[in-house]
Amino acid sequence: MEPVIATATEISPWALFLQADIVVKLVMLGLLMASVWSWAIIFERSRAIRRINREATQFEDWFWKAESLDALFEPATRATHPSARLFVSGMNEWRRSLARGRFDREGIRTRLASTTQVSIGREIDTLGDRLNILATIGAVAPFVGLFGTVWGIMRSFTAIAASQNTTLAVVAPGIAEALFATALGLFAAIPAVIGYNRLLHGVGRLEARLGAFAEEFQGLLGRQLDSMDSK
């Protein structure tokens, strides 16, 4: 059975898909699904980073305006953004250290630093857990499209050999079908790569912001600890 090749008048994305071999169709569908998946991740992570930055600004304002850290603790336990969770983790460690009844200043500072760093790492891992998908799509999609292209060209050459006709009207549709797979690979890969780099930059800036807040928080607790030792 001779493979079906679209005519020159039928060269359109939909016609090329319908006339494609089952292998090329699977490649095209897979690339379209990868593109939809990458755009969904880009939009979801972008909204999450904007929301977290907005909530971090609000929380930092409350933090510096609060009468005491204990007064801020209860509202912070009900919040769900990283800055509040970092604050709650540090306060829990602070309270556990004070409950021991003796002050080991260096030990308390070390545990506070460790607790806040673990909290930051956990939050950044949560935000970045889907970025590897974008990196994978950006790296693999062009090669998947190239595979579809090679397969389509092989099929086109088979049709040419079967028809004994090498005119452009016969060759062009098959080549167009093959190149369409490459275009879909780039269509999936380019947004994924750009989205990965932009989101990675946003996550890096958020990590730096959380690190700066953690340093200020630890400094404030350290000053309280020094004042308690001086009494």
Side-chain angles (χ1 to χ4, degrees), residues 51-212:
R51 174 182 54 81
I52 290 171
N53 277 306
R54 184 173 62 251
E55 292 174 342
T57 300
Q58 294 175 350
F59 183 79
E60 288 171 10
D61 289 340
W62 295 338
F63 177 82
W64 293 113
K65 293 177 182 178
E67 295 180 357
S68 67
L69 295 180
D70 290 328
L72 187 59
F73 180 77
E74 185 60 30
T77 58
R78 297 191 294 269
T80 59
H81 55 88
S83 296
R85 285 194 287 259
L86 187 155
F87 172 77
V88 170
S89 297
M91 285 299 294
N92 283 331
E93 178 58 40
W94 171 255
R95 290 180 172 184
R96 284 193 297 266
S97 297
L98 295 184
R100 297 180 179 181
R102 56 187 181 87
F103 298 145
D104 178 5
R105 287 188 297 176
E106 292 305 317
I108 292 176
R109 288 191 173 95
T110 300
R111 287 192 296 272
L112 284 173
S114 177
T115 299
T116 53
Q117 287 303 312
V118 168
S119 180
I120 292 173
R122 187 183 300 116
E123 298 297 339
I124 296 303
D125 286 343
T126 300
L127 278 175
D129 65 345
R130 295 185 182 179
L131 297 189
N132 62 328
I133 298 175
L134 293 180
T136 301
I137 292 174
V140 174
F143 295 101
V144 175
L146 182 60
F147 169 76
T149 299
V150 173
W151 188 275
I153 290 176
M154 290 172 56
R155 178 172 172 268
S156 181
F157 284 158
T158 302
I160 292 171
S163 64
Q164 299 295 317
N165 189 344
T166 58
T167 62
L168 185 61
V170 173
V171 175
I175 300 300
E177 170 193 313
L179 294 178
F180 184 49
T182 298
L184 287 178
L186 296 176
F187 180 74
I190 292 174
V193 172
I194 295 174
Y196 172 79
N197 289 328
R198 290 302 303 167
L199 291 174
L200 190 65
H201 176 68
V203 171
R205 290 186 62 184
L206 182 59
E207 182 177 12
R209 180 173 189 170
L210 290 174

Side-chain angles (χ1 to χ4, degrees), residues 25 35 71 203:
K25 282 183 179 178
S35 179
V203 171

